[in-house]
Amino acid sequence: MSASRRRRLVAGVLTLTAALLASACSSGGGGSETDSSTVTMMVPLFGTAPDPKGEMQQAVEKLVGKKLQITWVPNADYNDKTNVTLASDKMPQIMVIQGDKTSSFVRAAQAGAFWDLTDKLDKYPNLKNRDARTVRNSSTNGKIYGLYRIRPLLRSAVVINKQWMEKLGLKTPETVDDLYDIAKAFTEKDPDGNGKKDTYGLIIPKWPSPQYGSASPYDVIETWFGAPNVWGERDGKLVPGFDTPEFIEANKFVKKMVDEGLVNPDYATLDSAKWNDPFVQGKGGMIIDVNVRGTNLLDLLKEKDPNDFDKVVTVGNLKRSDGKKFSYPFTGYNGVIAIPRQSVQTEQQLDEVLTVLDKMASKEGGILLSNGIEGRNFKVQDGSAARINQDDPKIKVVQQDVEKAFIQLGTTASVGLGAYPDLYADKPHQDQVTLRNKLAEEDLKTAVHNPALPVMPPTAIAKGQTLDPIITDARIKFISGAIDEAGLKAEIKRWYDNGGTQIAAETNDLVSKLGN
Amino acid sequence: MPNQSTTHQHTLGSRVFDVLNIALLSFLALITILPLMYVLAGSFASEAEIASRPFFLWPEKFVTTTYEYIFDSGTFVRALLTTICVTAVGTVVQVLLTFTMAYPLAKRYLPGRTLVLNLVIFTLVFTGGMIPTYLVVRDLGMLDSYWALILPLAINPFYLIIVKSFFQELPQALEEAARIDGCNEMGVFFKIVLPLSKPIIATFSLFYAVGIWNDYMSPLLYIDDSKKWTLQVLVRQLTSPDAQNAMAMLESVFFPTQGLKFAVVVIATLPILLFYPFLQKHFSKGVLLGSVKE
Amino acid sequence: MATDLAPPPTRAATKPGRRRERLTFRTALLRYRWLYLMLLPGLAYFIVFKYLPMYGVTIAFQDFLPFLGYSGSPWVGFKHFEELFNGPDFGRLMFNTLILALLTAVFVFPAPIIVALMLNELRHSVLKRSIQSLVYIPHFLSWTIVASLTYLLFSVDFGVIATFFHELLGGKKIDYVAQPDWFRPIIVFQLLWKQTGWGTIIYLAALAGVNTDLYEAARMDGAGRFRQFWHITLPAIRPTIVVMAVLTSGHLLDTGFEQIWLMTGALNRSSADVFDTFVYYMGITQGAFSYSTAVGLFKGLVGVLLIFGSNWLAKRLGQRGLF
């Protein structure tokens, strides 16, 4: 190839690609000027971004009476995008904040980046009467910087292999001792009937978060034994949950199960994405996790064998040996919706934005955002949302837009919570959901809440989460036998020595300032 | 080239070496390919099968639901085309910028060269960070423009220095000849040096192309308009551990399945993988050095 | 033999100008105008996209908050550096990071060179190409996938590899992915698996540049295969190896956050905690822009010292180095 031909070729390639870039790649991209008839938002996304002219977005626009301009951001790196957005002058008017308890959000809010909504909400019928517990949990040092996005408050449960229970003639457990007995039977009495001792009772994965009190099976069991949920009152002051005899008792209990082989041998390393696998394979018989794990397992079992999948039974939180019951609650929300002051400058503009949020928080707003468009993608049947027209490609888009995108804008409603629960086609699934809700309602009465959720002690912020792994690691080391009880206590002391003492003092101080 | 059998005497030692060499390399290829086979097989298996079989190389029952799910979202094809466009243009731009800058830096006699090299090496280890770079891109008016995916990463200092040292190894004689024929430095570069550097151009085209193809952060930060998203943005969130974690702990609507994760890997890598064999011929061909005596 | 030894006899400089001649700025600019012109776009790139944002490093001395920006965030002097160096974890982090860096230098860095040389000796061209295209694929898998494959294969419960070793060696089953002793070997193994094939590309490109005549001539002289390798192949890629070694040394303390974070568990954290993961835990509640920038500055400083040091060393050993 001669040099000139080569150059022509290169030039050709360049023009071609430039043309491609101009034509195929530069569609869309309208202006971003906004007027009072448009509301801008930044929202996390779990699937593909909805079409701004799509049916779903139009329905929401009709509801709030304004045009929406939504920047959808992939959930995985939502926080990075939040940070560059905060640093730029391109803030939206409504912003979903996922790390509402991170210092970068709270300090930004305190510095005036976001509206303090503490006493701005009473005017709005759907924003004022919100769940008191969740309002408290989502507030920070007494201030409300955003509207919580509600989630069920009580979600912890035990999911058990129903067929194994029936085969061995076991009753559903009520206490932790029953749990132990079932685990023992599942391990030693050959529940799958293959003549081999190749099963175990409880499945525990490697917990992805090294934070203490992050709803791991360990955290749940500790609460059942009576340990505080992260913080709790002992002798008139708040102490961390791990500095109680109940914490040690609970972990001795887990250790005993591990030592006797009642737990999967790879409990320290099992990938949490593969938590279901031993259950589906019929190797392990119990999971302590969120209650939706039950329907998740049913999905898999049904896919494996559509004729024989009714193998799951869910039970709620368990009692301690002495019959006292302590249930493990969640925070009740997932992030908040905050309003930046840079884009919403006056009280009047704030009123406009809050009016939009109020409409979205209404009964019909919650249903629209969580279930979709009634008569299009679902219909109401026995108080549940039954999906319809799912074969129609257009409806499929609506369904996707709801599930993967718009549901993220729900504040006072989520599926089955202020909006309709999903109606399942088969009985085992439907029973599961009914049972789950009944159990959650029952367990909520005995829930042990974390009184320190609304406070952010400065030392805890400064140390980041570098102290938490001391405890969560020590717990697993104790269970695995790498350290003994004295070693576990020494690690707890190390937590105090490395800054825990200050964190405890500050937490007590801040919580007492909050009152109630 | 040593792979032409004529270059070697077929001694016993040589044959033994060949056998061992082939055996060892095949073993390497095998341990590479087995886990990949699992990923591929898993992408065609049902979720229940992935959950019930610890490791397999062939699904019992072929299902394509995960792929249907990905293709179903009408945005997939657009994202794929966008990514191909951006990668093609970006690679040309980046290779051109890198090679033109590397050439003068290879000239030891050029005054000021050391200063520039020091500046380059400094950026190898120090960066201003995500936010200041974002602000520069914004001030240049490149937000929501495809140039934001190309220009901020146009010259990788690491690659620049390697290309520079490749240039230093090129024989001088041809350049001299061209100069005597009246070419200026630019002419020498385009007429003599670049044609001599085919394997290196192929290599760095691959590196840059893969870099743009796999880049997830730039589109995430610089592109707000979801219509302009690239493939990586579209698919990465489905495989992200954060999403999984958030879901398992807080959400009840969506669990990304393992099969989906595998399918995403296959889909996001296959197009760029096809690029390699195309370039490969340049690696084995060698350069036209035969005409030049060192 | 190479370009940089003699300046070109341009028409502007008729006398046989030598390097040591002092050029005024103006004459240099004129004489090398084409070269400077070629340098210009690249230089502009570095100034705009690398040096303009460089003010960002100042946040290491602030308590940076994105909303307050670079001018609004409070200055705190060396607070974050003090935290880093005086913190109870510094020694352990430094030790773990250095050990991993050392292992990477010893095992991971040479691997692509060896495989490239082995591939180069492969006479069967179809086989060569196929193997080459296979071994480089793992580069495209994310660490998430690599980590879950590792857990899958090494699981003490059902892992194929763990079971294989158990049956081969007998004894008690070892939970490889949980034990601190096995953490580093696994990290190194993952790196080897993921990056070796990809790393060969650059060396194969260097090997493609070897003049075929040289082998011909050597063969005529009766040089055997090993001598051809020793006297022709190896010298041909030595400059590339040196440049790669010098450049890689600048990133010695970068251990790759994602890989390590994914492989860290409660039981192996004592070996696993490195600067990059520690910064992450700081960041969960803190945002930690300033702290991580401070750590980055420290690592960068070490990196610059290492680059210049190893470059100096390379030159002392008679290699060309970077400059």
Side-chain angles (χ1 to χ4, degrees):
Chain A
M1 206 190 282
S2 78
S4 66
R5 258 185 65 200
R6 190 190 324 279
R7 232 178 308 163
R8 241 178 298 151
L9 187 74
V10 169
V13 168
L14 267 173
T15 358
L16 185 74
T17 41
L20 270 173
L21 198 69
S23 63
C25 306
S26 60
S27 57
S32 56
E33 314 92 76
T34 52
D35 49 62
S36 61
S37 67
T38 307
V39 182
T40 54
M41 304 181 177
M42 180 172 140
V43 189
L45 176 72
F46 289 89
T48 52
D51 181 359
K53 295 188 187 68
E55 198 176 340
M56 194 52 209
Q57 179 148 346
Q58 282 184 346
V60 179
E61 285 174 348
K62 203 172 140 216
L63 174 88
V64 301
K66 290 201 189 247
K67 297 288 283 177
L68 302 181
Q69 194 186 319
I70 307 176
T71 303
W72 297 102
V73 179
N75 177 66
D77 294 79
Y78 192 80
N79 285 335
D80 282 329
K81 186 81 177 187
T82 308
N83 285 325
V84 295
T85 307
L86 278 170
S88 76
D89 49 11
K90 260 186 79 181
M91 301 252 257
Q93 291 164 296
I94 290 176
M95 208 166 162
V96 174
I97 299 290
Q98 290 193 318
D100 62 304
K101 292 283 153 101
T102 61
S103 87
S104 73
F105 171 70
V106 174
R107 279 175 57 209
Q110 283 165 347
F114 298 96
W115 282 91
D116 177 356
L117 302 174
T118 315
D119 37 47
K120 303 263 185 229
L121 300 174
D122 290 344
K123 266 167 62 186
Y124 308 94
N126 303 309
L127 300 180
K128 77 176 169 195
N129 292 322
R130 295 180 304 152
D131 182 74
R133 167 66 58 188
T134 313
V135 167
R136 186 187 147 91
N137 283 351
S138 65
S139 67
T140 307
N141 296 349
K143 294 257 204 294
I144 296 170
Y145 293 118
L147 304 172
Y148 64 68
R149 302 191 305 156
I150 201 163
R151 295 294 179 270
L153 193 51
L154 208 127
R155 310 185 58 189
S156 48
V158 190
V159 181
I160 310 178
N161 187 320
K162 191 169 162 182
Q163 291 187 338
W164 286 7
M165 297 251 293
E166 282 161 4
K167 182 162 186 293
L168 300 177
L170 298 162
K171 282 206 311 259
T172 50
E174 289 194 357
T175 67
V176 288
D177 300 323
D178 298 345
L179 182 83
Y180 172 84
D181 292 339
I182 294 174
K184 187 122 186 145
F186 278 3
T187 310
E188 287 167 1
K189 292 197 178 149
D190 190 23
D192 57 357
N194 68 353
K196 280 186 264 180
K197 187 172 173 289
D198 57 357
T199 51
Y200 39 78
L202 189 62
I203 311 163
I204 301 179
K206 171 191 165 189
W207 201 245
S209 163
Q211 268 173 278
Y212 171 67
S214 56
S216 70
Y218 309 108
D219 295 316
V220 175
I221 294 173
E222 284 155 16
T223 303
W224 290 347
F225 272 79
N229 175 1
V230 190
W231 290 92
E233 208 171 292
R234 289 287 189 277
D235 303 324
K237 65 180 182 89
L238 294 176
V239 295
F242 48 80
D243 190 19
T244 56
E246 293 93 332
F247 173 84
I248 309 267
E249 281 311 305
N251 283 302
K252 277 185 183 161
F253 171 77
V254 180
K255 181 173 166 53
K256 187 175 171 208
M257 296 224 285
V258 168
D259 289 345
E260 293 175 15
L262 314 186
V263 177
N264 53 315
D266 55 352
Y267 65 97
T269 55
L270 177 69
D271 189 353
S272 61
K274 298 196 142 297
W275 199 353
N276 289 331
D277 296 9
F279 195 100
V280 175
Q281 289 163 13
K283 289 175 78 173
M286 284 190 282
I287 290 178
I288 300 174
D289 188 30
V290 290
N291 49 20
V292 291
R293 179 70 61 183
T295 37
N296 191 227
L297 280 167
L298 274 179
D299 291 342
L300 284 172
L301 292 165
K302 187 176 181 182
E303 197 182 338
K304 196 179 174 192
D305 186 354
N307 301 318
D308 176 30
F309 66 95
D310 188 9
K311 296 181 180 172
V312 180
V313 64
T314 304
V315 290
N317 286 272
L318 301 178
K319 288 177 191 145
R320 196 161 70 176
S321 303
D322 63 2
K324 283 205 179 118
K325 186 167 175 183
F326 308 94
S327 300
Y328 185 88
F330 283 60
T331 59
Y333 75 106
N334 178 20
V336 298
I337 291 183
I339 304 170
R341 293 186 80 124
Q342 188 221 66
S343 46
V344 180
Q345 288 168 348
T346 62
E347 293 272 345
Q348 193 207 333
Q349 285 173 323
L350 177 66
D351 176 57
E352 281 176 31
V353 171
L354 282 174
T355 309
V356 167
L357 287 170
D358 184 52
K359 283 178 184 156
M360 292 203 297
S362 65
K363 177 82 186 158
E364 54 282 17
I367 289 168
L368 177 63
L369 293 171
S370 311
N371 299 118
I373 306 168
E374 191 171 346
R376 292 287 288 158
N377 71 316
F378 79 98
K379 63 172 186 197
V380 182
Q381 189 181 324
D382 310 326
S384 299
R387 292 183 187 179
I388 51 171
N389 306 328
Q390 296 291 316
D391 295 333
D392 182 344
K394 266 176 155 168
I395 298 300
K396 223 168 159 181
V397 170
V398 173
Q399 187 69 41
Q400 289 285 321
D401 285 359
V402 173
E403 274 177 35
K404 306 282 160 71
F406 281 96
I407 195 169
Q408 296 296 320
L409 277 168
T411 49
T412 47
S414 184
V415 173
L417 201 75
Y420 300 115
D422 280 329
L423 185 76
Y424 284 94
D426 58 68
K427 194 170 170 302
H429 270 92
Q430 200 52 48
D431 289 350
Q432 212 25 250
V433 174
T434 318
L435 179 65
R436 171 215 290 174
N437 292 337
K438 206 184 90 202
L439 291 169
E441 202 178 317
E442 179 62 30
D443 286 353
L444 197 54
K445 294 174 193 157
T446 49
V448 182
H449 295 284
N450 173 4
L453 260 182
V455 301
M456 285 186 64
T459 309
I461 296 170
K463 296 271 175 189
Q465 292 295 332
T466 51
L467 289 185
D468 271 32
I470 295 179
I471 301 303
T472 49
D473 287 1
R475 176 162 71 187
I476 298 207
K477 282 183 186 158
F478 173 74
I479 290 167
S480 77
I483 56 174
D484 58 9
E485 192 178 331
L488 181 58
K489 284 180 173 156
E491 287 295 288
I492 294 169
K493 186 173 173 302
R494 190 159 75 89
W495 181 86
Y496 274 112
D497 292 345
N498 283 354
T501 313
Q502 277 155 286
I503 292 177
E506 289 165 6
T507 304
N508 273 290
D509 190 39
L510 286 166
V511 172
S512 68
K513 270 190 205 149
L514 279 185
N516 62 44
Chain B
M1 287 301 288
N3 62 348
Q4 289 154 349
S5 53
T6 48
T7 14
H8 295 299
Q9 295 102 329
H10 295 275
T11 61
L12 183 66
S14 176
R15 277 168 197 281
V16 170
F17 171 80
D18 278 340
V19 171
L20 279 176
N21 193 22
I22 290 177
L24 205 57
L25 282 172
S26 308
F27 174 71
L28 281 181
L30 194 72
I31 59 170
T32 319
I33 198 70
L34 283 179
L36 293 172
M37 289 280 289
Y38 172 67
V39 171
L40 189 64
S43 74
F44 283 105
S46 69
E47 197 56 20
E49 185 175 347
I50 299 173
S52 45
R53 294 172 69 190
F55 187 84
F56 57 93
L57 299 175
W58 198 259
E60 270 169 359
K61 202 176 75 190
F62 255 91
V63 286
T64 50
T65 41
T66 50
Y67 288 98
E68 279 161 29
Y69 173 78
I70 296 169
F71 287 118
D72 224 25
S73 55
T75 45
F76 175 78
V77 176
R78 183 172 57 202
L80 181 68
L81 282 179
T82 306
T83 313
I84 292 173
C85 288
V86 173
T87 307
V89 177
T91 307
V92 173
V93 170
Q94 298 184 338
V95 166
L96 210 65
L97 275 171
T98 305
F99 277 63
T100 25
M101 188 179 186
Y103 183 67
L105 288 179
K107 305 289 172 205
R108 187 165 283 202
Y109 52 78
L110 189 71
R113 163 185 175 276
T114 319
L115 176 72
V116 178
L117 267 178
N118 275 320
L119 283 178
V120 168
I121 287 171
F122 193 72
T123 64
L124 204 61
V125 283
F126 293 106
T127 55
M130 180 176 77
I131 293 174
T133 313
Y134 174 86
L135 295 178
V136 167
V137 171
R138 186 200 59 185
D139 292 343
L140 290 171
M142 294 202 303
L143 288 186
D144 262 343
S145 146
Y146 292 114
W147 291 110
L149 311 184
I150 297 171
L151 291 181
L153 300 170
I155 301 180
N156 180 324
F158 202 102
Y159 298 167
L160 178 73
I161 289 170
I162 301 172
V163 174
K164 184 219 78 159
S165 27
F166 270 121
F167 281 159
Q168 286 179 331
E169 299 305 315
L170 284 180
Q172 178 72 3
L174 269 184
E175 289 184 48
E176 295 280 2
R179 268 188 216 104
I180 290 162
D181 289 349
C183 276
N184 60 37
E185 296 284 356
M186 191 98 79
V188 172
F189 174 67
F190 280 105
K191 286 197 186 129
I192 311 293
V193 176
L194 282 191
L196 277 178
S197 316
K198 266 211 275 168
I200 305 150
I201 297 178
T203 306
F204 287 93
S205 301
L206 178 73
F207 286 177
Y208 275 122
V210 169
I212 303 176
W213 187 273
N214 284 343
D215 186 12
Y216 168 73
M217 240 18 221
S218 304
L220 178 89
L221 296 179
Y222 305 140
I223 307 286
D224 280 346
D225 185 351
S226 56
K227 280 199 182 116
K228 293 183 181 173
W229 276 356
T230 60
L231 198 60
Q232 292 297 333
V233 183
L234 199 70
V235 299
R236 195 193 114 146
Q237 49 181 324
L238 302 177
T239 59
S240 148
D242 289 57
Q244 224 174 292
N245 201 357
M247 288 299 96
M249 287 175 55
L250 296 159
E251 298 290 351
S252 49
V253 279
F254 181 67
F255 286 93
T257 62
Q258 300 179 68
L260 187 61
K261 287 202 273 179
F262 292 155
V264 158
V265 172
V266 174
I267 285 205
T269 21
L270 205 60
I272 193 84
L273 279 184
L274 298 177
F275 191 50
Y276 185 61
F278 173 73
L279 286 173
Q280 219 178 10
K281 64 172 191 241
H282 292 291
F283 296 133
S284 44
K285 221 187 236 167
V287 278
L288 307 160
L289 294 187
S291 56
V292 192
K293 284 282 163 260
E294 301 228 346
Chain C
M1 59 165 264
T3 44
D4 60 344
L5 295 183
T10 57
R11 254 161 287 163
T14 38
K15 61 175 181 178
R18 290 289 94 169
R19 222 174 327 165
R20 293 290 157 234
E21 170 201 11
R22 275 197 60 81
L23 294 167
T24 63
F25 181 63
R26 194 190 287 266
T27 33
L29 213 58
L30 196 67
R31 184 182 297 178
Y32 303 119
R33 59 189 179 282
W34 290 108
L35 287 177
Y36 283 121
L37 197 64
M38 290 170 77
L39 204 56
L40 212 56
L43 202 60
Y45 165 77
F46 275 95
I47 289 169
V48 172
F49 288 106
K50 297 284 184 183
Y51 279 94
L52 273 187
M54 205 58 98
Y55 65 89
V57 300
T58 54
I59 67 171
F61 308 96
Q62 292 182 322
D63 262 343
F64 178 74
L65 205 58
F67 172 69
L68 295 176
Y70 295 88
S71 46
S73 297
W75 292 89
V76 295
F78 285 91
K79 180 181 126 184
H80 300 294
F81 292 93
E82 279 162 25
E83 253 172 49
L84 170 66
F85 295 124
N86 298 337
D89 304 288
F90 182 76
R92 188 169 49 99
L93 295 175
M94 193 72 199
F95 179 79
N96 284 340
T97 310
L98 278 180
I99 293 272
L100 263 184
L102 207 70
L103 288 173
T104 315
V106 172
F107 292 102
V108 181
F109 180 76
I113 305 172
I114 295 167
V115 175
L117 290 170
M118 283 165 72
L119 279 168
N120 192 55
E121 293 297 326
L122 210 59
R123 302 177 197 191
H124 197 290
S125 120
V126 176
L127 194 65
K128 178 178 167 182
R129 281 197 193 185
S130 331
I131 292 178
Q132 208 176 317
S133 339
L134 284 181
V135 292
Y136 100 120
I137 303 179
H139 172 77
F140 291 92
L141 302 189
S142 65
W143 279 118
T144 321
I145 297 279
V146 177
S148 64
L149 286 172
T150 311
Y151 282 121
L152 184 81
L153 294 171
F154 286 91
S155 158
V156 69
D157 192 20
F158 51 80
V160 179
I161 295 182
T163 315
F164 174 76
F165 280 128
H166 175 65
E167 270 160 25
L168 199 72
L169 307 169
K172 198 167 168 277
K173 271 198 167 187
I174 302 169
D175 196 351
Y176 297 98
V177 273
Q179 295 309 318
D181 296 345
W182 282 97
F183 175 77
R184 293 184 186 112
I186 285 180
I187 291 290
V188 168
F189 179 75
Q190 284 182 327
L191 281 170
L192 283 174
W193 186 77
K194 189 168 188 282
Q195 307 295 20
T196 302
W198 181 252
T200 58
I201 293 174
I202 190 93
Y203 296 108
L204 287 170
L207 286 168
V210 179
N211 191 339
T212 334
D213 291 352
L214 293 177
Y215 289 106
E216 198 69 32
R219 215 164 48 80
M220 302 262 209
D221 293 346
R225 201 163 167 186
F226 180 74
R227 283 184 56 196
Q228 289 180 34
F229 166 77
W230 191 255
H231 291 290
I232 302 168
T233 314
L234 210 54
I237 59 163
R238 198 187 297 136
T240 311
I241 298 177
V242 171
V243 170
M244 291 296 284
V246 173
L247 287 177
T248 319
S249 73
H251 290 286
L252 190 78
L253 297 186
D254 291 339
T255 36
F257 159 73
E258 208 184 352
Q259 180 196 11
I260 294 196
W261 182 71
L262 287 166
M263 297 311 297
T264 306
L267 298 176
N268 63 14
R269 200 181 309 276
S270 55
S271 330
D273 253 358
V274 291
F275 286 118
D276 295 333
T277 48
F278 190 75
V279 165
Y280 173 79
Y281 294 127
M282 288 295 280
I284 293 178
T285 53
Q286 213 190 4
F289 296 99
S290 293
Y291 186 78
S292 63
T293 309
V295 174
L297 268 183
F298 165 66
K299 290 199 306 186
L301 217 61
V302 175
V304 162
L305 287 178
L306 283 169
I307 286 192
F308 285 98
S310 54
N311 191 48
W312 175 83
L313 193 71
K315 282 185 172 171
R316 278 296 296 268
L317 295 174
Q319 302 299 321
R320 198 193 299 278
L322 293 189
F323 297 97

